[in-house]
Amino acid sequence: MDLKEKLISSFMAFENNVDVEHPVHDIRTEAIKNFETKGFPSKKEEAWKYTSLNSLQKIDFSIFPKEDNALEYKDVKRYSIHEIDTYKIVFIDGIYSSYLSETTHDGVDICLMSSALTKPMYRQVIDVYFNKVASKDESLTTLNTAFSREGAYIYIPKNKMPKKPVEILHFATGNEASLLLQPRNLVIVEENAEVQIIERHQSLTTNEVLTNSVTEIFAAESAIVDYYKIQNDANTASLIDNTYINQKSKSNVNVHTFSFGGKLTRNNLNFYQNGEYMDSTMKGVTILGEKQHVDHHTLVHHIEPNCESHQDYKGIYGENSTGVFNGKIIVDKIAQKTNAFQQNNNILVSDKATINTKPQLEIFADDVKCSHGCTIGQLDEDALFYMQSRGIPKKEARALLMYAFANNVLESVRIPEVKGRINKLIAKKLGVNLGFDL
Amino acid sequence: MLEIKDLHASVEDKEILKGINLEVKAGEVHAIMGPNGSGKSTLASVIAGKEEFEVTKGSVSLEGEDLEEVAPEERAHKGVFLSFQYPVEIPGVSVTNFMKTAINESRKAKGLEDMPAKDMLKLIREKSELLEIDRKFLSRSLNEGFSGGEKKRNEIFQMAMLEPKVAILDETDSGLDIDALRIVANGVNKLKSKDNAVIVITHYQRLLDYIVPDFVHVLHNGKIVKSGGKELAMELEEKGYDWIKQEATV
Ligand SMILES: Nc1ncnc2c1ncn2[C@@H]1O[C@H](COP(=O)(O)OP(=O)(O)OP(=O)(O)O)[C@@H](O)[C@H]1O
Ligand SMILES: [Mg+2]
């Protein structure tokens, strides 16, 4: 049985474990129908030209973990930003771990999607927001919607800001030979409220894991959202991250994606600007080696006038790694005075590494500032010799140049400990110790 | 200290250095002059170890050690320094971080611990004052957007930080205004001692008024065609290179 069939036939079993009377279940059944029609995306589709899901579909994934698996804090501590105090929503093989988590209802809700989808007190919010910005026809999103049950639920009321950043952590224990995870997150940040979120998926063994995640973010007027995605998973772990953001006037949403590993990573990052005078920022650092593959697909839809978007993705590709950047900007006819910037710069440090980069601009307004640029280069030999002539060995010189290349993306990271952590990951990935942080 | 014997070097099968002999002893200042394209910067690059140039014959040795198999960074650790004619821009790396890395890599090569942060700051302060460099300047990306003169001054700041045994200054005077020339030359003179040596590549007598050479060599078509004392530089300033080129072809 292929994965699609297996998923469709599992849906009935899934229904035994959820409240089919809840209105969300109508959304699920609609979604599974859509998935059944569409199936997994194939390389024939333009958006999936460079990323194939074929080999993943041949794996016999467990769709529901059989039991609760426990992990010790000491075994997973290093994957969290333990230098600072954070709220934590932790899942082990897709199941919530209250032992490792720290949630809150103190003025804000930082808790579980499973509660939000079942308890009456959340019903109104769910009716207004659930599946309202996520795509209703993109096949992987509909697949997630069909099985949506668990994930992080974050609700920040008007004028509030949680006392500390929120970490969403997913661990896979490898107790299943191969496991499919489908977390579903909902983040609602009301007027003038603010939140910082750090998300990480980590497999702890070499068993296969495929995560198909959907996150919906709603930023109301003047809300501020900082979202950091740390992707440094095992070489047997794959991630399809579908993030949908609905922004209102004067809001500010920044998403940083740090991709340093994993077998296959696909980031579908979609911004919809429903208002004026707002700012959307997408930044990424990708450093890959071995046979790792990362595909960044971004979309910014400028729907109303006077808004900005900033995209800056840097990639360093070594060994046999492959990268994709596809940045789509749509500026509607009425969205005058839009400023949309997009930059994608890449360095290939191996002859066998490849990157496919493509801007996709659909601009229907006439009074806009749009700039885009993509570069693919090698390290500058003259710069390397210059550094060597000052006593910096070639390996360190290369690393320093790569560090510097990625550096400006880190400037906008607003949690110093996250910046420090990313710096360390970059140094580790480049195999050097530079003795200072950039 | 530095001994160059019958040095031939090529790039892409084109011979640029065609048999250079030069001995530089500790405590000496040598000036190398010569028309554009004669091979001065190539000689400097070969001494610093640029791999793009292939040494086809002859040798460069430092304190008796043949440098042929020695990587550029190791030459730097042994005390070779090149002030570039065209310093390279390194976006994203501040002058300070660059120097910290350079100094600590040198120390690492010698089996020493990293320099304590306090000492490093003190050293940076001292040397930047010597070259009258504004502190704000040090946090800027190395050479990025620096004016021509700022780049050259920064090269000598790096030399001051690294305290090399043999410093090669490739047209460090070009781009410097009159005051800057004095400051930079003064910096070089302060670093001069009986234990180190300086090779100054220049087109003009002006710099040599400040950094007074013991020997002046004229490079033409990949060879040293004339050597003399500091008066030779003055003669060249007056008469140009034609007479030397003629002498060389005779
Ligand atoms: N990488 C290279 N490839 C080809 N030719 C080169 C290369 N580097 C130098 N040359 C050539 O070698 C010759 C010597 O160049 P070099 O830069 O050493 O001259 P120079 O004496 O420093 O001149 P200037 O006074 O203009 O600085 C020139 O003809 C130059 O074009
Ligand atoms: Mg030159």
Side-chain angles (χ1 to χ4, degrees):
Chain A
M1 195 164 31
D2 75 1
L3 187 59
K4 180 186 165 189
E5 281 173 54
K6 184 170 178 179
L7 283 159
I8 289 162
S9 60
S10 305
F11 189 70
M12 275 203 293
F14 175 77
E15 285 185 308
N16 291 333
N17 294 309
V18 293
D19 175 11
V20 294
E21 302 300 323
H22 196 288
V24 160
H25 199 65
D26 295 338
I27 298 175
R28 291 192 192 109
T29 36
E30 189 65 33
I32 195 78
K33 270 190 227 147
N34 280 338
F35 176 71
E36 187 165 7
T37 321
K38 291 213 132 173
F40 283 100
S42 80
K43 287 187 93 166
K44 289 195 196 90
E45 290 168 48
E46 189 60 29
W48 290 86
K49 199 169 162 186
Y50 301 110
T51 297
S52 170
L53 299 177
N54 282 349
S55 65
L56 284 170
Q57 286 175 66
K58 294 197 183 94
I59 297 168
D60 186 24
F61 286 106
S62 303
I63 294 170
F64 312 113
K66 288 179 195 66
E67 55 187 299
D68 288 8
N69 292 316
L71 286 171
E72 289 297 320
Y73 174 65
K74 65 173 171 46
D75 297 328
V76 295
K77 181 181 169 196
R78 64 197 162 110
Y79 300 113
S80 82
I81 310 294
H82 56 80
E83 303 89 326
I84 49 169
D85 197 13
T86 55
Y87 290 116
K88 290 175 194 67
I89 313 172
V90 183
F91 302 93
I92 301 171
D93 294 336
I95 294 171
Y96 174 64
S97 164
S98 61
Y99 170 64
L100 293 173
S101 299
E102 184 187 337
T103 57
T104 186
H105 295 288
D106 181 13
V108 299
D109 286 314
I110 295 170
C111 59
L112 293 182
M113 196 64 175
S114 54
S115 306
L117 288 178
T118 51
K119 293 189 181 153
M121 59 182 286
Y122 298 107
R123 178 73 175 270
Q124 215 184 337
V125 177
I126 292 297
D127 283 350
V128 175
Y129 293 104
F130 182 81
N131 210 42
K132 291 299 185 289
V133 63
S135 169
K136 282 159 200 73
D137 57 15
E138 195 280 316
S139 70
L140 293 157
T141 304
T142 58
L143 175 63
N144 176 288
T145 302
F147 289 91
S148 57
R149 176 166 55 170
E150 191 56 290
Y153 174 81
I154 297 171
Y155 183 89
I156 317 294
K158 195 171 164 179
N159 298 329
K160 287 274 194 300
M161 180 184 175
K163 287 190 216 65
K164 43 197 186 184
V166 183
E167 288 190 85
I168 304 172
L169 297 164
H170 291 271
F171 297 108
T173 59
N175 289 353
E176 307 277 341
S178 46
L179 181 65
L180 174 69
L181 295 170
Q182 298 212 70
R184 176 75 175 212
N185 306 316
L186 181 58
V187 178
I188 300 153
V189 187
E190 295 285 25
E191 210 181 307
N192 204 35
E194 192 174 338
V195 71
Q196 297 179 314
I197 298 168
I198 303 144
E199 180 187 340
R200 186 161 183 169
H201 300 262
Q202 191 65 46
S203 166
L204 303 172
T205 69
T206 54
N207 283 349
E208 287 284 339
V209 183
L210 170 59
T211 303
N212 177 39
S213 162
V214 170
T215 303
E216 291 184 283
I217 300 172
F218 295 87
E221 227 176 282
S222 303
I224 300 175
V225 180
D226 283 328
Y227 208 113
Y228 303 99
K229 294 172 184 285
I230 303 177
Q231 301 171 343
N232 187 30
D233 215 339
N235 275 344
T236 45
S238 299
L239 171 68
I240 298 156
D241 178 313
N242 308 283
T243 299
Y244 296 91
I245 297 149
N246 188 357
Q247 268 186 267
K248 294 262 177 70
S249 292
K250 292 185 233 150
S251 63
N252 196 324
V253 178
N254 309 299
V255 177
H256 288 74
T257 307
F258 301 106
S259 308
F260 303 139
K263 176 175 165 182
L264 178 152
T265 307
R266 165 73 176 229
N267 289 300
N268 294 317
L269 181 56
N270 305 283
F271 277 82
Y272 302 93
Q273 293 190 331
N274 283 298
E276 294 192 52
Y277 303 103
M278 71 180 88
D279 205 332
S280 308
T281 300
M282 283 141 272
K283 294 204 175 186
V285 179
T286 306
I287 305 177
L288 298 185
E290 300 171 74
K291 279 174 139 172
Q292 294 159 347
H293 175 83
V294 170
D295 180 341
H296 296 289
H297 263 68
T298 64
L299 163 72
V300 194
H301 191 165
H302 291 273
I303 300 164
E304 295 191 42
N306 300 311
C307 294
E308 295 196 5
S309 65
H310 300 266
Q311 300 188 52
D312 189 355
Y313 278 76
K314 298 260 160 50
I316 298 170
Y317 298 89
E319 298 174 291
N320 293 291
S321 64
T322 47
V324 181
F325 177 82
N326 188 103
K328 186 169 179 176
I329 298 173
I330 306 173
V331 181
D332 284 358
K333 198 163 179 196
I334 66 152
Q336 300 293 0
K337 306 251 184 261
T338 291
N339 283 334
F341 305 103
Q342 184 187 89
Q343 195 64 40
N344 173 235
N345 306 101
N346 303 287
I347 293 180
L348 297 178
V349 286
S350 139
D351 295 344
K352 295 192 194 98
T354 58
I355 167 81
N356 281 291
T357 172
K358 186 172 116 191
Q360 221 181 323
L361 309 184
E362 295 175 11
I363 297 166
F364 303 100
D366 45 30
D367 185 14
V368 299
K369 269 193 214 139
C370 268
S371 75
H372 66 91
C374 46
T375 59
I376 303 171
Q378 274 92 36
L379 289 176
D380 179 358
E381 287 296 328
D382 287 334
L384 285 174
F385 175 64
Y386 185 79
M387 297 170 96
Q388 283 179 278
S389 80
R390 298 299 183 253
I392 303 172
K394 197 158 193 175
K395 186 176 168 217
E396 277 71 18
R398 290 169 71 97
L400 191 54
L401 283 183
M402 291 191 267
Y403 238 70
F405 169 76
N407 175 35
N408 67 341
V409 171
L410 295 186
E411 273 166 22
S412 49
V413 174
R414 275 191 275 218
I415 307 172
E417 292 77 10
V418 170
K419 195 191 255 180
R421 182 63 71 88
I422 299 301
N423 257 316
K424 283 203 187 97
L425 284 173
I426 291 177
K428 195 171 163 201
K429 192 79 193 178
L430 299 175
V432 287
N433 181 6
L434 290 169
F436 66 85
D437 288 341
L438 280 169
Chain B
M1 177 158 271
L2 185 76
E3 204 170 354
I4 298 170
K5 280 193 199 145
D6 193 27
L7 184 67
H8 292 250
S10 312
V11 61
E12 289 157 5
D13 293 331
K14 179 181 158 202
E15 186 162 70
I16 296 169
L17 302 183
K18 301 171 179 168
I20 291 191
N21 291 291
L22 180 66
E23 192 184 350
V24 180
K25 296 206 178 81
E28 292 178 349
V29 176
H30 289 242
I32 297 178
M33 305 183 80
N36 294 132
S38 57
K40 302 181 298 295
S41 294
T42 303
L43 175 62
S45 296
V46 171
I47 297 170
K50 191 165 190 177
E51 279 144 23
E52 200 183 340
F53 298 103
E54 195 195 343
V55 174
T56 50
K57 202 176 160 199
S59 66
V60 178
S61 45
L62 182 71
E63 297 184 310
E65 184 193 357
D66 189 340
L67 295 181
E68 190 178 345
E69 299 289 321
V70 181
E73 61 268 26
E74 291 167 329
R75 297 184 192 208
H77 302 156
K78 290 178 195 299
V80 175
F81 179 87
L82 170 59
S83 168
F84 283 61
Q85 182 174 1
Y86 304 109
V88 184
E89 301 195 358
I90 319 254
V93 183
S94 70
V95 177
T96 304
N97 278 339
F98 183 68
M99 282 328 297
K100 276 186 195 169
T101 310
I103 286 189
N104 284 333
E105 287 297 342
S106 250
R107 291 173 65 95
K108 203 196 281 176
K110 293 176 187 120
L112 298 170
E113 296 278 293
D114 279 2
M115 183 182 280
K118 204 170 85 236
D119 298 358
M120 184 74 79
L121 282 176
K122 192 164 155 261
L123 186 66
I124 290 173
R125 193 175 317 122
E126 196 182 300
K127 303 299 185 185
S128 57
E129 275 166 16
L130 174 68
L131 288 146
E132 298 181 28
I133 289 174
D134 191 336
R135 298 283 291 283
K136 269 185 259 145
F137 206 77
L138 302 175
S139 53
R140 282 176 58 183
S141 283
L142 185 62
N143 292 327
E144 193 184 31
F146 286 18
S147 74
E150 286 167 345
K151 283 182 182 166
K152 296 303 172 72
R153 193 189 290 219
N154 190 257
E155 292 290 285
I156 302 306
F157 165 70
Q158 294 183 37
M159 171 186 164
M161 291 289 292
L162 296 166
E163 298 188 339
K165 283 188 190 141
V166 177
I168 307 156
L169 313 185
D170 191 357
E171 294 197 29
T172 300
D173 50 342
S174 69
L176 291 177
D177 65 42
I178 298 169
D179 292 337
L181 182 70
R182 194 176 32 76
I183 293 162
V184 164
N186 183 37
V188 173
N189 286 332
K190 283 234 171 77
L191 298 165
K192 240 355 267 81
S193 80
K194 62 175 176 29
D195 301 317
N196 59 25
V198 181
I199 299 171
V200 187
I201 297 171
T202 183
H203 286 294
Y204 305 105
Q205 168 61 34
R206 212 177 47 172
L207 178 69
L208 304 180
D209 288 340
Y210 293 104
I211 306 172
V212 183
D214 302 298
F215 301 95
V216 175
H217 311 278
V218 180
L219 197 63
H220 172 54
N221 199 12
K223 272 188 191 153
I224 290 178
V225 292
K226 198 167 182 69
S227 295
K230 59 177 188 275
E231 6 25 271
L232 179 56
M234 281 179 247
E235 203 176 348
L236 290 168
E237 183 104 337
E238 214 173 287
K239 301 206 275 187
Y241 289 114
D242 277 354
W243 62 284
I244 288 187
K245 287 181 190 170
Q246 271 162 17
E247 263 181 30
T249 46
V250 172

